[in-house]
Amino acid sequence: VMFIAKANLGLLQKTYLDGPADLAIEIISPESQERDRVEKFKEYALGGVLEYWLIDQERQEAQFFQLDVNNQYQTITPDSEGKYFSQSLPGFWLQMNWLWMSPKPQIDNVLYDIDPEGHARRQIEQLQNRGFLPNP
């Protein structure tokens, strides 16, 4: 999975990305351990990918890396509440236990937790657009 910031959408071509993603997320499988943890780790750093997440469902482990000024990844640990704050997505954070919950949390609840005011605004706009609430 990759994320491209609005400011970098010009890098996105019809069939490829002409430059680094702002964020790359790898979901590790048993056969991709070496590739994700070693090969892609080096390639993404050299390529300038600002942020790299490794999610290992089997081990219930997540690692987060952010590129420093020397194009080296630094490990970023979640805070004392288990929240990881993204550099590439300002204002976005991830509660670590969401990754391992069963069943997974409802997306509306997650979006509300991350940005209650923004989520409420989007809900109101959707209701207005669908004719359930009057437009101002």
Side-chain angles (χ1 to χ4, degrees):
V1 176
M2 69 176 159
F3 167 77
I4 312 301
K6 282 184 182 180
N8 296 324
L9 285 178
L11 299 175
L12 193 56
Q13 305 301 309
K14 188 172 183 167
T15 57
Y16 66 97
L17 181 63
D18 190 17
D22 293 286
L23 166 65
I25 303 170
E26 295 291 345
I27 311 298
I28 296 175
S29 61
E31 60 276 353
S32 73
Q33 291 276 341
E34 176 78 13
R35 188 172 62 249
D36 294 335
R37 292 183 186 280
V38 178
E39 295 168 30
K40 287 184 180 180
F41 186 90
K42 289 177 187 175
E43 290 172 7
Y44 289 162
L46 286 172
V49 175
L50 297 176
E51 194 168 343
Y52 185 37
W53 301 4
L54 287 170
I55 311 294
D56 190 330
Q57 203 57 33
E58 189 174 291
R59 294 183 186 177
Q60 291 194 349
E61 174 183 277
Q63 295 174 290
F64 304 97
F65 306 94
Q66 294 177 0
L67 209 57
D68 66 17
V69 296
N70 298 314
N71 279 1
Q72 299 292 315
Y73 279 128
Q74 299 302 316
T75 302
I76 307 297
T77 55
D79 70 8
S80 62
E81 296 177 1
K83 293 179 183 175
Y84 169 75
F85 293 85
S86 174
Q87 169 186 342
S88 299
L89 296 160
F92 178 81
W93 51 268
L94 176 70
Q95 181 67 51
M96 296 298 300
N97 66 0
W98 290 339
L99 296 170
W100 324 125
M101 290 174 73
S102 182
K104 298 292 183 215
Q106 295 291 317
I107 190 69
D108 276 342
N109 293 337
V110 169
L111 293 173
Y112 178 81
D113 286 346
I114 293 171
D115 182 11
E117 290 178 19
H119 183 61
R121 274 193 311 276
R122 286 186 294 278
Q123 293 292 320
I124 290 168
E125 288 171 6
Q126 287 178 353
L127 291 170
Q128 289 170 335
N129 292 338
R130 294 178 182 166
F132 292 107
L133 290 176
N135 286 316

